[in-house]
Amino acid sequence: MITLKDIKKAYGHTRVLNGISFKVKAGEFVSIIGPSGAGKSTLIDVLIGAAKIDSGEIAIDDFIVNELSPEQIQDYRRNIGIVFQDFKLLPKKTVFENTAFALEVCGYKDKFIKERTTSVLKICGLENQRNSFPHQLSGGEKQRTAIARALVHAPDLLIADEPTGNLDPDNALALAKLLQKINKEGTTILLATHNKEIVNALRRRVIEIEDGKVIGDKACAGYKKDLTD
């Protein structure tokens, strides 16, 4: 599903990604780990087409991401789910409306939008919050709403960038369990995190990067070092 070949990216004279290569098969759950400044967020940016690489190739399904035009990037992003640390919810829309919005902009019929959104909110444990606005939600509920919005168009791939960064330990663990549940339903998940407790709880494949390079790639791995340094 995902193939990265010798990805390099610099900002000015600072090399952020320095020859990253790896593959992710459909249905895998992969954590991208490393200390702050390792290049995790930049890696996510180039995967979703928010930043252009200097050299190399990013292939996700039938898309060569680094060759897409701005218009093609929009089509590509409709095939993946993206979750950010800061939620990015629309403040004047309810949980249901935030989740449904991704389908509305694509022109789906109202009946389908209602049925699909209701189903996804149930998966994410948000049935009772469907009419709540973002300011009425806890941090965990906001992040689950962001995940529901990312899932509503049934993507094959979910990319999450530090989704537990604004959550307390209990909510972070609950979020990890939700991502596991989603993965078991067949969605490939790529999770960038520096939360070692979450990595150890997941016990899934771990790709470790440092100074813009892959320095480790292990299946069903835990992680003992402090990732916040």
Side-chain angles (χ1 to χ4, degrees):
M1 167 171 271
I2 302 173
T3 301
L4 275 67
K5 297 179 181 179
D6 197 24
I7 302 303
K8 295 180 181 179
K9 173 67 178 176
Y11 290 105
H13 296 294
T14 303
R15 178 73 70 182
V16 183
L17 302 178
N18 194 16
I20 286 185
S21 299
F22 62 80
K23 294 183 179 181
V24 176
K25 297 179 181 179
E28 277 196 275
F29 191 130
V30 179
S31 295
I32 307 293
I33 65 170
S36 297
K40 300 188 300 297
S41 291
T42 299
L43 180 59
I44 296 299
D45 283 345
V46 300
L47 283 170
I48 67 176
K52 287 287 187 180
I53 59 175
D54 299 326
S55 62
E57 182 179 277
I58 302 170
I60 298 182
D61 285 337
D62 296 327
F63 295 95
I64 306 299
V65 180
N66 50 289
E67 296 180 356
L68 299 179
S69 68
E71 293 76 16
Q72 291 171 323
I73 285 290
Q74 297 306 313
D75 290 335
Y76 158 68
R77 287 180 182 169
R78 292 191 181 101
N79 290 271
I80 61 175
I82 306 170
V83 181
F84 299 99
Q85 178 177 339
D86 56 353
F87 315 133
K88 298 188 184 297
L89 301 178
L90 299 171
K92 295 184 179 181
K93 290 185 179 292
T94 65
V95 167
F96 184 94
E97 292 166 341
N98 263 283
T99 305
F101 185 69
L103 297 177
E104 292 171 356
V105 297
C106 293
Y108 287 96
K109 293 183 178 180
D110 290 346
K111 182 181 179 181
F112 174 79
I113 292 174
K114 182 178 180 181
E115 291 176 350
R116 176 61 184 168
T117 302
T118 299
S119 174
V120 170
L121 292 182
K122 184 176 181 180
I123 291 171
C124 294
L126 290 166
E127 306 101 306
N128 295 333
Q129 288 79 30
R130 59 182 287 138
N131 296 319
S132 298
F133 290 91
H135 74 272
Q136 298 173 310
L137 303 175
S138 68
E141 290 167 344
K142 289 177 182 178
Q143 193 57 283
R144 281 188 279 135
T145 302
I147 290 174
R149 180 184 56 194
L151 288 177
V152 75
H153 56 87
D156 292 325
L157 171 64
L158 179 67
I159 298 176
D161 185 14
E162 300 284 7
T164 64
N166 288 326
L167 304 181
D168 60 49
D170 288 343
N171 277 313
L173 185 58
L175 181 65
K177 290 179 178 178
L178 173 59
L179 292 176
Q180 283 183 313
K181 178 181 177 181
I182 293 166
N183 176 245
K184 287 179 180 179
E185 295 296 321
T187 303
T188 305
I189 294 181
L190 196 64
L191 168 67
T193 184
H194 64 257
N195 189 322
K196 64 179 180 179
E197 287 78 16
I198 295 304
V199 173
N200 290 336
L202 288 169
R203 303 297 299 177
R204 300 298 183 89
R205 181 183 171 193
V206 172
I207 296 175
E208 182 182 358
I209 65 174
E210 190 171 297
D211 296 327
K213 299 178 181 179
V214 174
I215 65 169
D217 188 344
K218 298 180 180 180
C220 299
Y223 200 74
K224 295 181 180 180
K225 289 192 290 185
D226 185 356
L227 303 180
T228 62
D229 290 339

